Amino acid sequence: MTSAPTTRKKRANGVESRQRILDAAVEIAGERGYDGTSIAAVSAKCGLPASSIYWHFKDKDDLIAAVIERSFEAWLTAAELPGEETGTPLERVTAMAGNVAKSLVDAPDFLRLGLMLALERRPTEPRGRTVFLQVRDITHRKIAEVAATLFPALDQAAVDTLTTYAIAGADGLFVHREVKGDTVDLVALFELHAQVVHDAAARLAEGRR
């Protein structure tokens, strides 16, 4: 009679432990970077033994990859184009950009750690870097779909160019906030960037009519 409740409790405890480990890894990696992050440091931060961490994650690289994936999932939820009831295409893309910026303020880990790993070259590529590059491909496809939806007159080459520009600009704004700190209004900057990209797309689309 007690097996089901006991199983549920163990499962809940396992989920809670995993979240504690990921939260600790985020703090350690944010302070020390990839190389400075260790299972021992994460263990000390979260208060769980190393054996518990290894039960959830194969090694440090697996842990960092999980941090990137968890943060990206939060971003992915925010990166949805609002419906037509939101207003004009400009209003829709501006609202989307604001939501994306808010998600990065709340959960910046995938982009912060991912950019660190993406800029490094190692003899053996960390899984975290591989995961981040996969995440970038998903991001590119998602933004490209938005551009194609709002500006159907654009060909694939123009959509890809605009998408690359949009992502690169967002990266730069994110890095600027990382350097300057919380005084930077990332939401306002992302909204402005979205408006610039929208206007560029509108001009390209007009030229193809």
Side-chain angles (χ1 to χ4, degrees):
M1 294 294 291
T2 60
S3 60
T6 300
T7 300
R8 284 196 295 271
K9 184 176 180 180
K10 286 181 178 178
R11 187 177 297 125
N13 288 342
V15 171
E16 181 184 354
S17 295
R18 190 177 192 275
Q19 295 306 316
R20 283 173 61 187
I21 293 166
L22 289 172
D23 290 341
V26 166
E27 288 192 47
I28 298 295
E31 295 168 359
R32 308 181 189 180
Y34 178 83
D35 287 331
T37 301
S38 67
I39 296 296
V42 173
S43 174
K45 174 68 73 173
C46 70
L48 295 169
S51 59
S52 292
I53 298 174
Y54 284 118
W55 189 84
H56 289 282
F57 306 100
K58 181 176 65 175
D59 51 25
K60 178 184 81 171
D61 195 27
D62 194 39
L63 173 56
I64 294 297
V67 167
I68 292 173
E69 288 173 331
R70 183 182 70 164
S71 179
F72 179 65
E73 287 172 3
W75 178 91
L76 202 57
T77 301
E80 293 291 341
L81 181 67
E84 294 182 357
E85 69 278 1
T86 302
T88 65
L90 176 58
E91 290 170 333
R92 293 169 70 191
V93 77
T94 301
M96 175 181 168
N99 290 335
V100 167
K102 290 172 187 173
S103 76
L104 287 176
V105 171
D106 293 337
D109 317 308
F110 92 88
L111 193 51
R112 180 185 294 149
L113 293 172
L115 288 174
M116 288 182 193
L117 291 170
L119 295 173
E120 293 181 349
R121 293 290 185 271
R122 298 170 183 268
T124 302
E125 185 172 277
R127 179 170 178 265
R129 186 176 190 276
T130 301
V131 168
F132 180 68
L133 294 180
Q134 292 170 346
V135 158
R136 299 289 282 187
D137 287 340
I138 295 171
T139 302
H140 189 96
R141 290 198 298 270
K142 195 166 188 66
I143 302 302
E145 287 172 4
V146 170
T149 297
L150 294 179
F151 299 97
L154 295 178
D155 59 27
Q156 189 60 51
V159 167
D160 286 341
T161 298
L162 281 167
T163 300
T164 299
Y165 174 74
I167 293 173
D171 285 344
L173 294 173
F174 177 81
V175 170
H176 178 67
R177 186 179 187 274
E178 289 289 293
V179 172
K180 291 294 187 179
D182 294 343
T183 57
V184 174
D185 188 343
L186 192 64
V187 174
L189 290 175
F190 264 53
E191 289 176 345
L192 178 60
H193 179 52
Q195 291 163 18
V196 171
V197 174
H198 170 277
D199 290 349
R203 288 194 297 272
L204 284 171
E206 186 64 29
R208 282 163 170 72
R209 290 174 181 170

